[in-house]
Amino acid sequence: MTGVPASAAGGSSAAKGAAAGAGAAASGTSSVSGGVPGAAGPSDGSGVSGASGDLGSSGVSGVAGVSGPSDASGSSDGSGGPGEFGAADAADGSGVSAGASDGASDAKALRGGKIAAAAVNQASVWNIANLLTMLRLVLVPGFVALMLADGGYDPAWRSLAWAAFAIAMITDLFDGHLARTYNLVTDFGKIADPIADKAIMGAALICLSALGDLPWWVTVVILGRELGITLLRFLVIRYGVIPASRGGKLKTLIQGVAVGMYVLALTGWLATLRFWVMAAAVVLTVVTGLDYVRQAIVLRRQGIAERKAALEETEG
């Protein structure tokens, strides 16, 4: 909108008003006092009102004055249209500061929550999953004592030893499931659980071979495979984790059943059946062991290839 041409004095006053508005903008403060009246000139972003020629009562903080009194929505009463920057815009600086402050507070709260959660996780060693793992560890010497009691051939003591072995194997099925389902995984459990598994199985196999119930080569094959695969997992952990396969889980189940049948003083067709169950356990032990070796080789090759590609991309 074009105003009526201003007089020389009015034009001078308008120019002074504009300069004052610009000065206020440069200093980042709002113009408080009214502008010097001038002739009606064009309404622009310099703070000169197209209707009255007055400098707006509230200039733009840090940018430019706004024509006429500005309301909360940033509209200018003096020009009748929306102001370039109103009171709401003038508060943007403080809004950003408040947002940054809130963001910093949220970040601190988030970090504090993570630290607190980590502290809780580290303090929650005495959970049900870990207690079951500890029970298996305690059952190992008890199982050995029962197995070798009275020369190791008393059916009553062997039955008690079988009960201890069965409890250990059953708790092995539940502790890992409970830990994963209810978020009870701890560093202690990660270390103690595989140790407890190998300890109860190794104790049973060694006792059976020492008593002459099971050939030593079977014990060597099974324990050698278990220890070898555990070591292999640690060797390739830098490249990834070898997951437990279905074959591995079936192997563990068949091993437990076979060893449990050998712990009991069975005779007749049950003694023959346990031989075939143990044979199946040995086959699964060897086959799944070779499969884990294959997975480890593939995982290592993939890890090396990915690292080489990442290094070439970084250098390129």
Side-chain angles (χ1 to χ4, degrees), residues 161-187:
W162 176 86
F165 180 80
I167 292 173
M169 297 305 295
I170 292 173
T171 56
D172 180 32
L173 298 176
F174 284 103
D175 61 353
H177 176 72
L178 290 172
R180 291 186 296 269
T181 303
Y182 298 101
N183 195 25
L184 300 176
V185 178
T186 61
D187 293 338

Side-chain angles (χ1 to χ4, degrees), residues 128-198:
I128 184 62
N130 287 344
L131 290 176
L132 291 177
T133 300
M134 294 177 193
L135 176 62
R136 290 211 315 281
L137 290 171
V138 172
L139 284 174
V140 172
F143 166 80
V144 172
L146 293 171
M147 191 71 181
L148 301 178
D150 198 13
Y153 297 102
D154 188 299
W157 289 111
R158 293 284 284 262
S159 297
L160 292 175
W162 176 86
F165 180 80
I167 292 173
M169 297 305 295
I170 292 173
T171 56
D172 180 32
L173 298 176
F174 284 103
D175 61 353
H177 176 72
L178 290 172
R180 291 186 296 269
T181 303
Y182 298 101
N183 195 25
L184 300 176
V185 178
T186 61
D187 293 338
F188 172 80
K190 293 177 182 178
I191 297 173
D193 182 70
I195 292 176
D197 297 342
K198 305 301 184 291

Side-chain angles (χ1 to χ4, degrees), residues 152-287:
Y153 297 102
D154 188 299
W157 289 111
R158 293 284 284 262
S159 297
L160 292 175
W162 176 86
F165 180 80
I167 292 173
M169 297 305 295
I170 292 173
T171 56
D172 180 32
L173 298 176
F174 284 103
D175 61 353
H177 176 72
L178 290 172
R180 291 186 296 269
T181 303
Y182 298 101
N183 195 25
L184 300 176
V185 178
T186 61
D187 293 338
F188 172 80
K190 293 177 182 178
I191 297 173
D193 182 70
I195 292 176
D197 297 342
K198 305 301 184 291
I200 190 66
M201 183 60 69
L205 291 170
I206 291 173
C207 286
L208 289 172
S209 294
L211 293 172
D213 293 339
L214 189 67
W216 275 105
W217 69 266
V218 174
T219 298
V220 171
V221 168
I222 294 178
L223 292 184
R225 184 267 190 197
E226 299 298 331
L227 296 177
I229 295 303
T230 300
L231 178 61
L232 187 63
R233 289 177 185 271
F234 282 110
L235 290 177
V236 300
I237 196 170
R238 70 180 70 179
Y239 305 110
V241 177
I242 302 176
S245 63
R246 292 183 178 180
K249 294 178 181 179
L250 179 62
K251 177 270 305 177
T252 301
L253 176 62
I254 299 300
Q255 276 186 2
V257 172
V259 171
M261 294 180 72
Y262 269 86
V263 169
L264 287 172
L266 300 178
T267 58
W269 69 272
L270 289 175
T272 304
L273 178 62
R274 72 182 181 181
F275 169 81
W276 292 108
V277 175
M278 181 60 75
V282 172
V283 171
L284 285 172
T285 298
V286 175
V287 171

Side-chain angles (χ1 to χ4, degrees), residues 40-111:
S43 175
D44 53 18
S46 64
V48 180
S49 171
S52 63
D54 294 342
L55 182 65
S57 61
S58 61
V60 177
S61 175
V63 183
V66 179
S67 309
S70 297
D71 56 14
S73 64
S75 62
S76 172
D77 292 339
S79 61
E84 290 292 327
F85 297 92
D89 292 327
D92 281 347
S94 61
V96 172
S97 300
S101 177
D102 291 343
S105 300
D106 292 342
K108 291 181 179 179
L110 182 59
R111 289 195 298 270

